Structures are given as structure tokens and as C-alpha cells.
Amino acid sequence: MEYLGSCLCRGSKFKVVGNFECFYLCHCRYCRKDTGSAHAANLFSTTAKLVWIKTETEVKSFQAPKSNHIKAFCTNCGSPLPNLQMEGKLLVVPAGCLDTKLEQRPDAHIFISNKARWDESLEEICKFERLPE
């Protein structure tokens, strides 16, 4: 399988060649901080290859102190981008940066002990097709 992806400003583009073994929705405090949301949606692979197609903007990585949490991002628009972890043995791809339609569904919610208190029964709140007027 081949997946294409990019950041919000399209200054960085990449492809992933191979399959993802896991797809997790992570509620840990680091993922909530680096997404600004209830959880991160990350794809993991030990076999897929990451190829940068375009890097007009710089891609930086940040590792939270005293943790294994790494975030790669575009220095122009701040979008999360793929990164290699565990000495290059693990590819982590934020699902939202893929441009190719992803058919794979999440395997699990992880670190739910850190789940935000407001992240409960969300299926019960109002839904709108666009920004409400």
C-alpha cells in the first residue's frame, strides 16, 4: 500500500510505502497537549517506509522531557507530521495528515486513564454539517 500526506501549508509532502500494524487513539497527557484535542490519532508501522517528497518548509522534532513522546511538525504551519522512533524501528504517522483516504479503523483507545473529563458521551451532543450560524 502507498499513502500520500502533507502538512496544512503543503510545504512538506511525504509518502508512506507499506502497511500500518496499529491505529491508536491516544489520550495520554502528551498527545492531548500536542494535538490540542481529546486524543491523538496515530498509525504505527515497523515495516513501512517514509519518503519525503517535498520539504520546502523545515520539519522539526520535539521530545517531551523525561519521556518517549516525540512530535514532528512543520515549522511553518505547525501541522503534525510523521516521525521515526525507537532508533528508526517505528514509524508513527498522525492519521490526520494523510491525503490518501484511509480505510483502516482505529484498533483501540489507549491511555484512557488520562482521558479528558469533557470527552464523555460525545455522540449525544449536537452535530452540524458545517459551522453553526
Side-chain angles (χ1 to χ4, degrees):
M1 191 69 197
E2 184 173 289
Y3 301 90
L4 298 174
S6 62
C7 62
L8 188 59
C9 71
R10 315 257 318 143
S12 293
K13 295 182 181 182
F14 64 91
K15 73 177 172 179
V16 174
V17 180
N19 294 312
F20 299 111
E21 289 106 33
C22 302
F23 184 2
Y24 293 132
L25 304 178
C26 183
H27 296 265
C28 80
R29 64 186 175 118
Y30 298 112
C31 284
R32 288 193 296 121
K33 284 281 187 188
D34 79 24
T35 63
S37 188
H39 56 75
N42 288 318
L43 298 146
F44 297 85
S45 181
T46 57
T47 57
K49 301 298 178 213
L50 173 64
V51 179
W52 291 100
I53 299 169
K54 176 182 173 187
T55 53
E56 286 180 2
T57 58
E58 189 177 0
V59 176
K60 280 207 161 190
S61 292
F62 171 78
Q63 182 164 1
K66 299 180 183 176
S67 80
N68 293 322
H69 185 86
I70 298 171
K71 175 185 178 142
F73 58 95
C74 171
T75 57
N76 186 53
C77 67
S79 296
L81 289 166
N83 67 80
L84 292 168
Q85 299 183 17
M86 298 174 50
E87 298 174 0
K89 296 176 188 162
L90 180 66
L91 174 62
V92 180
V93 179
C97 69
L98 292 178
D99 298 323
T100 302
K101 187 174 182 179
L102 182 65
E103 300 295 334
Q104 187 171 346
R105 301 228 344 118
D107 295 304
H109 288 268
I110 60 174
F111 290 95
I112 59 166
S113 60
N114 296 108
K115 188 175 180 179
R117 293 189 70 171
W118 49 265
D119 185 17
E120 293 291 336
S121 305
L122 297 180
E123 65 281 353
E124 296 172 6
I125 63 174
C126 293
K127 295 173 182 67
F128 298 93
E129 290 292 324
R130 345 185 140 59
L131 188 63
E133 294 180 16

